[in-house]
Amino acid sequence: MKKILVLGAGLVARPLVRYLLNHKEFSVILADKVLTKTEKIIEKHPNGTALELDVDNTSELAKLVQKCDVVVSLLPWMMHEKVARVCIEYNKNLVTTSYVKPGLRALESEVKKRGLLFLKEIGVDPGVDHMIAMKAIDKIHSDNGKVVSFYSYGTSLPAYESNNNPIGYKFSWSPIGFLLVALNDGRYMENNQIIDISEKNLFEEYFLKSIPGVGFFEAFVNRDATHYIDLYGIHSAESIFRGSLRHIGFCETWHYFKKLGLLDREICFDFKTNSPRQVLAKLIKSDGKNLLRDISCFLNIPEYSLTIKKLEWLGLISDELLPLGNTSVFEMFGHVLQNHLNYEEDEKDMLILHQEIIAEYPGKTRQKILSTLVSKGDPFGDSATAYTVSLPAAIAVKLILEKKIGLTGIQIPIHPQIYEPVLEELNRLNINVVERYVDI
């Protein structure tokens, strides 16, 4: 029986663990700092083991890694390098859903030398987005075509029936990770011109985008799209863009949240003695006597504006103290959001991936290829985010253990031997990509 070590029992772990346990030839050890989280997921399955583990305890981590055939890390990305080094020491393959970071890339020669596979970015975004893109791009190239433009959009949002708060968002992943996205610069290419967007202007540079069969959203640039030119081998592209989608009304509000200083990671307060109202007043240098008026003047918006009503709804105009000590405004804001933007058990999230590629073929004929994935979570069950992040990784683990992936080194799922079987299995699991072809 093949043994799999899964590190991390967070919001996306359950579908991966249950998928692997449904294969009788596998056993799973699930380890997390919080034992009750692992026990809840394993549910006393005969081939599952729930353990408590602090990954900082290197000797205990090493003991577990030695016992297993492959390691899956669902831990925060900053812990992956440590796990990777232990996997190298004991010659174990590694699977994660996070982006390849420079620290891990530096280990590639040693990973290759040992004949190991460290498969990264095998989630949904990144992950399924790579696979959808490369399936279409490889087909275009095999038909002697070239990519003229590539646009990719992704998001995880409350489904329409569960979008019942004024912020238009709920957390199916880390609130801190969500906030950090708002602090990224962006870059894309349009008609062969590189366009840079500073994080300061990120939410000003948005546009409205219709997703077929789903609806209208706001779209803003997601990090640097231009490095995908090399990654996907689309040097013929004249335009390339990767964007995030949000429900209508999001970007303007978050531009104002940033302008107020709510995402500042340097300014700290003692929240045992400072209420959100007092903090907000200090951020805009108000005496606090008429805070709503002062906020409207500071932001140059009407006092009746939706942004101010959202601040009130979040409790940021409240004198009630928060259960926090001395910490940053950023951490305070994350705490407030986490306590207001949670899914109830009977609510659903909605995962969207949408790509639009324009291809040109011999004779100058052009075609637009549209690929759309929409997945909704299960009320009283797993979220769509959990399914779509963890199932690609679970399928990849199965392929690795069955020796169906012949790659070594640090890889992402842009190769047919990975994306073809993974997309096929996802389709069998009702995670379907709808493809449309339009001659233009």
Side-chain angles (χ1 to χ4, degrees):
M1 183 177 286
K2 298 291 186 179
K3 291 184 179 180
I4 303 152
L5 172 61
V6 180
L7 301 171
L11 293 172
V12 304
R14 187 180 182 279
L16 176 141
V17 171
R18 301 308 298 183
Y19 175 89
L20 294 171
L21 287 175
N22 283 338
H23 291 78
K24 295 179 181 178
E25 66 272 28
F26 301 150
S27 67
V28 177
I29 298 172
L30 178 60
D32 190 276
K33 267 187 175 182
V34 183
L35 181 61
T36 54
K37 289 166 66 175
T38 64
E39 291 173 333
K40 187 176 180 180
I41 292 173
I42 293 295
E43 295 178 332
K44 297 183 179 178
H45 193 286
N47 290 342
T49 304
L51 293 180
E52 182 178 346
L53 173 71
D54 184 343
V55 175
D56 288 332
N57 188 331
T58 306
S59 62
E60 289 302 311
L61 173 63
K63 287 177 187 177
L64 290 177
V65 169
Q66 289 178 71
K67 293 179 182 179
C68 296
D69 296 286
V70 64
V71 177
V72 182
S73 179
L74 299 177
L75 299 166
W77 67 266
M78 64 283 297
M79 298 181 181
H80 289 167
E81 186 178 338
K82 177 171 188 172
V83 174
R85 291 183 181 278
V86 177
C87 288
I88 289 171
E89 183 177 355
Y90 295 102
N91 293 306
K92 305 297 180 180
N93 294 317
L94 174 66
V95 174
T96 86
T97 62
S98 300
Y99 285 102
V100 180
K101 298 292 184 179
L104 197 66
R105 182 63 75 187
L107 303 175
E108 182 161 26
S109 61
E110 187 63 28
V111 175
K112 268 189 170 293
K113 187 169 110 179
R114 291 173 178 258
L116 298 173
L117 171 60
F118 282 12
L119 182 54
K120 299 277 291 180
E121 302 186 23
I122 183 71
V124 64
D125 184 1
V128 177
D129 58 342
H130 292 322
M131 294 185 272
I132 295 172
M134 289 310 302
K135 180 184 176 184
I137 292 166
D138 284 346
K139 177 69 166 58
I140 292 166
H141 289 163
S142 70
D143 292 338
N144 297 315
K146 65 178 182 179
V147 173
V148 176
S149 69
F150 176 89
Y151 286 78
S152 178
Y153 306 89
T155 193
S156 173
L157 294 169
Y160 290 110
E161 60 267 43
S162 300
N163 186 29
N164 51 14
N165 71 61
I167 307 300
Y169 198 88
K170 294 187 179 186
F171 290 113
S172 54
W173 63 302
S174 162
I176 296 302
F178 168 81
L179 289 177
L180 289 173
V181 169
L183 300 177
N184 288 323
D185 296 330
R187 169 178 279 198
Y188 62 98
M189 184 169 72
E190 187 171 11
N191 298 323
N192 291 314
Q193 295 294 314
I194 299 296
I195 298 172
D196 289 302
I197 306 295
S198 73
E199 65 90 5
K200 181 181 177 183
N201 301 322
L202 184 66
F203 293 124
E204 288 184 315
E205 302 290 337
Y206 73 94
F207 56 93
L208 298 181
K209 177 65 186 171
S210 175
I211 305 299
V214 190
F216 265 93
F217 300 89
E218 295 179 350
F220 58 93
V221 65
N222 179 10
R223 298 186 176 91
D224 182 2
T226 60
H227 86 270
Y228 287 83
I229 295 171
D230 289 333
L231 192 66
Y232 292 167
I234 50 175
H235 299 92
S236 58
E238 299 164 7
S239 300
I240 183 165
F241 180 92
R242 294 184 79 248
S244 297
L245 302 174
R246 296 291 185 263
H247 283 305
I248 300 296
F250 181 93
C251 289
E252 181 178 291
T253 294
W254 278 78
H255 175 70
Y256 289 137
F257 284 172
K258 288 177 73 174
K259 194 171 180 181
L260 286 170
L262 290 172
L263 277 75
D264 194 299
R265 303 178 73 185
E266 303 297 326
I267 300 175
C268 295
F269 291 93
D270 184 353
F271 288 95
K272 292 178 182 176
T273 57
N274 285 276
S275 69
R277 181 187 182 90
Q278 290 171 308
V279 167
L280 209 49
K282 290 174 182 177
L283 287 174
I284 65 170
K285 296 180 171 54
S286 164
D287 61 13
K289 293 177 181 177
N290 193 335
L291 184 57
L292 297 186
R293 181 201 63 199
D294 293 345
I295 291 172
S296 71
C297 291
F298 182 84
L299 297 176
N300 194 25
I301 58 176
E303 198 169 328
Y304 58 79
S305 72
L306 187 56
T307 295
I308 291 179
K309 294 187 185 301
K310 290 178 182 180
L311 290 169
E312 290 182 292
W313 183 83
L314 285 168
L316 291 169
I317 313 295
S318 170
D319 285 315
E320 185 175 342
L321 295 175
L322 299 174
L324 300 169
N326 190 30
T327 192
S328 69
V329 178
F330 178 91
E331 294 285 345
M332 179 275 290
F333 192 38
H335 170 86
V336 168
L337 293 175
Q338 189 166 25
N339 281 278
H340 283 78
L341 306 182
N342 291 316
Y343 285 95
E344 299 295 333
E345 286 190 348
D346 61 340
E347 294 180 336
K348 296 189 289 186
D349 67 331
M350 175 172 61
L351 189 288
I352 303 170
L353 282 181
H354 178 71
Q355 293 180 358
E356 298 181 3
I357 301 174
I358 293 179
E360 185 175 280
Y361 298 95
K364 300 296 183 181
T365 60
R366 288 193 172 194
Q367 186 180 60
K368 180 181 281 190
I369 300 107
L370 299 96
S371 305
T372 308
L373 167 65
V374 180
S375 179
K376 290 188 178 182
D378 295 328
F380 302 101
D382 291 308
S383 69
T385 303
Y387 280 125
T388 54
V389 169
S390 68
L391 286 177
I395 297 164
V397 169
K398 180 174 178 288
L399 294 170
I400 290 169
L401 291 174
E402 292 173 346
K403 301 189 184 304
K404 292 182 178 177
I405 300 178
L407 301 167
T408 60
I410 296 174
Q411 301 287 349
I412 64 174
I414 58 175
H415 307 281
Q417 62 181 285
I418 301 174
Y419 71 68
E420 287 177 353
V422 173
L423 289 175
E424 182 180 345
E425 178 70 351
L426 287 175
N427 187 68
R428 189 186 71 80
L429 296 170
N430 294 317
I431 299 174
N432 306 306
V433 179
V434 177
E435 296 176 335
R436 302 172 184 86
Y437 299 86
V438 181
D439 292 329
I440 56 175

